[in-house]
Amino acid sequence: EMQLVESGGGLVQPGRSLRLSCAASGFTFDDFAMHWVRQAPGKGLEWVSGISWKSDNIGYADSVKGRFTISRDNAKNSLYLQVNSLRAEDTALYYCAKDPEARIGTTNTRFDFWGQGILVIVSS
Amino acid sequence: DFQMTQSPSSLSASVGDRVTITCRASQSISSYLNWYQQKPGKAPKLLIYAASSLQSGVPSRFSGSGSGTDFTLTISSLQPEDFATYYCQQSYSTPPTFGPGTKVDI
């Protein structure tokens, strides 16, 4: 059974950092691109970042560029998001999501399996 | 970025109803449009990709159509488990962007 389990969220003060993790199982992790998508409380979905199967193709939303860093460790079947210089507007449920393609930024980019999400609250 | 809009923002329907949700792109996105369903407290689920292709395991009462800038998601006969929020997402251009959602309730 396919699973994506996020961890590492919590309550953090503005300006501080967190590292989100996503543990994958039930599929061949290193065959697929992976993404982070977030959802602010009561709001819609926002793509945050994506990474290709061998980490050679990475993208970020303008809202997080320069502050967030996506990475993956295929040996550990894990996806990460280092989130720095956090702002109140980064408060959201962060989902890890699988792409059926190996690379990001293709016209087939979609999110065919999602984790349950991890909550990040930025507040003093 | 490509902006996506959806209409209506919410609708009330009954079990057995035919429901249609519209998604519009700010520029032509060919057929690179995906639809998701999200139930309260749950992660989104992919329903339709490439405008009209049904994701594996999704009931056939869900269908999608459209190309260019205008797309529709249709639920042919609404079931109790279909009450949820539906989002469209374009994959024509990076960054992938979502519509604001359409809430379907009773």
Side-chain angles (χ1 to χ4, degrees):
Chain A
E1 179 191 4
M2 200 178 298
Q3 275 199 309
L4 294 171
V5 180
E6 301 93 338
S7 61
L11 174 62
V12 61
Q13 293 179 329
R16 302 299 290 266
S17 300
L18 279 176
R19 190 193 198 204
L20 306 184
S21 299
C22 171
S25 60
F27 65 99
T28 306
F29 181 72
D30 53 10
D31 277 352
F32 302 103
M34 296 294 295
H35 301 266
W36 290 97
V37 178
R38 69 184 180 183
Q39 186 169 35
K43 302 297 184 182
L45 301 166
E46 179 189 19
W47 177 80
V48 173
S49 182
I51 185 168
S52 65
W53 66 292
K54 58 177 182 178
S55 305
D56 61 339
N57 175 221
I58 286 174
Y60 298 97
D62 286 345
S63 57
V64 307
K65 202 171 292 183
R67 300 187 299 122
F68 289 13
T69 302
I70 192 171
S71 62
R72 65 190 293 164
D73 185 337
N74 289 341
K76 295 182 177 180
N77 287 348
S78 293
L79 175 72
Y80 306 102
L81 188 68
Q82 178 68 40
V83 297
N84 298 332
S85 304
L86 280 161
R87 306 167 179 167
E89 55 265 35
D90 295 319
T91 293
L93 190 62
Y94 284 73
Y95 291 103
C96 165
K98 173 187 166 292
D99 193 318
E101 300 286 317
R103 298 186 66 75
I104 67 163
T106 75
T107 52
N108 292 322
T109 291
R110 59 189 184 267
F111 315 107
D112 66 350
F113 190 76
W114 301 61
Q116 285 306 300
I118 190 73
L119 185 60
V120 173
I121 301 173
V122 184
S123 174
S124 54
Chain B
D1 296 0
F2 283 61
Q3 306 303 317
M4 309 300 294
T5 58
Q6 289 182 233
S7 61
S9 57
S10 65
L11 66 91
S12 294
S14 301
V15 172
D17 284 354
R18 182 180 181 88
V19 170
T20 299
I21 298 168
T22 297
C23 176
R24 178 164 288 171
S26 57
Q27 304 173 58
S28 176
I29 58 170
S30 185
S31 295
Y32 301 114
L33 191 283
N34 308 306
W35 289 98
Y36 300 84
Q37 175 194 65
Q38 186 178 32
K39 298 180 181 179
K42 300 293 186 182
K45 173 186 174 183
L46 178 65
L47 297 177
I48 301 284
Y49 64 95
S52 60
S53 295
L54 194 67
Q55 176 71 0
S56 176
V58 174
S60 59
R61 62 181 179 273
F62 291 93
S63 63
S65 64
S67 65
T69 60
D70 295 322
F71 301 86
T72 59
L73 173 70
T74 299
I75 310 171
S76 61
S77 177
L78 197 67
Q79 298 302 298
E81 60 268 30
D82 301 337
F83 292 96
T85 299
Y86 294 84
Y87 295 93
C88 61
Q89 173 245 322
Q90 66 82 18
S91 58
Y92 180 82
S93 175
T94 300
T97 48
F98 293 87
T102 294
K103 185 177 181 180
V104 176
D105 57 21
I106 300 173

